[in-house]
Amino acid sequence: MTQTHRTTLLLLAGLALAGCQAAPLAATSVAPAALAERPATGVARVTPSFKDGEVRRLLTTFTAYTQASINHMEVKLFAVTAGPTETQMGSTVDVAAANLTNTITFGNLKHNTAYRIRAYAYFSAGTGTKISADATSYVDVTVATDDAPALGNLVVSLIDQTFSGSTTSDGLTVNNGAIVHSGTETVTVN
C-alpha cells in the first residue's frame, strides 16, 4: 500500500468517526413551580386485617364478632391536615365479604400529602349494623414524591358483642365478695 493510499484511508476513517460522535445531551431541568403543578400520580395501598371483638360475659350461647361476621365493608379515603382535620376524598369502596383481605389501591393521590384510610365493617347488608370501632379502624399513610406506593396495614377492630338478660334463683345469698345460690336458677337472654 502506498503512502497516498494510507493517507486517504486515514482521512476517510477520521471523517467516518467524526460522523459517529454523539450529539451533546441537552440539559433538562424542571422549575419548582412546574413540580407543584404535576398531576396527582401518587398511590396508596392497604391490606385489611381483622381484630376480633369480645363477648362481655363468658356464655356458650354467644360468640364474638370475627371476620366471618362481616357482610361487607366500606373503605374511605381522607386527606389529613393540621389539627388533625379529615376531609373525605372521592367515593367509598364497598368490599364484599369474599374480598375482605384483598389489597385496596387508591390512585391519583397528591405527593407529600398525609392520608387516613378508614374501614367500616357491617354485620348485614346496608349500613345499619356497624360492627367495627371507628376510633381504631384506620391507618395513616403519607404519599412521598417517589414512584413507590405508600403501604399500610389497615387493622379493622371489631366491637365487643353485647347482650341483655336476666336471671332468677331461689335461695340466693350474698357473702363478702361472692354470691352463693342454692336451688334452681333460670337464665333468660333477650
Side-chain angles (χ1 to χ4, degrees), residues 127-139:
T127 58
T129 309
K130 184 173 60 170
I131 60 172
S132 58
D134 290 349
T136 54
S137 297
Y138 70 90
V139 64

Side-chain angles (χ1 to χ4, degrees), residues 25-161:
L25 294 175
T28 57
S29 64
V30 179
L35 285 175
E37 296 170 7
R38 283 186 1 185
T41 59
V43 174
R45 289 189 178 121
V46 293
T47 303
S49 61
F50 299 88
K51 180 180 177 222
D52 294 347
E54 297 176 2
V55 177
R56 292 288 185 193
R57 297 277 185 261
L58 184 60
L59 292 176
T60 58
T61 55
F62 288 99
T63 58
Y65 287 124
T66 65
Q67 180 181 338
S69 306
I70 300 172
N71 172 277
H72 71 108
M73 180 175 66
E74 292 181 339
V75 181
K76 298 180 181 181
L77 177 72
F78 297 84
V80 180
T81 55
T85 301
E86 295 179 3
T87 304
Q88 186 173 349
M89 310 296 294
S91 61
T92 299
V93 177
D94 199 323
V95 182
N99 302 320
L100 289 175
T101 58
N102 290 357
T103 298
I104 301 165
T105 302
F106 293 95
N108 299 323
L109 303 180
K110 292 182 181 179
H111 292 277
N112 295 320
T113 303
Y115 291 96
R116 179 165 289 158
I117 300 170
R118 289 189 171 276
Y120 304 89
Y122 296 95
F123 182 70
S124 56
T127 58
T129 309
K130 184 173 60 170
I131 60 172
S132 58
D134 290 349
T136 54
S137 297
Y138 70 90
V139 64
D140 289 339
V141 295
T142 299
V143 175
T145 55
D146 58 19
D147 291 336
L151 304 175
N153 180 24
L154 177 58
V155 177
V156 182
S157 299
L158 301 179
I159 62 172
D160 296 339
Q161 187 171 158

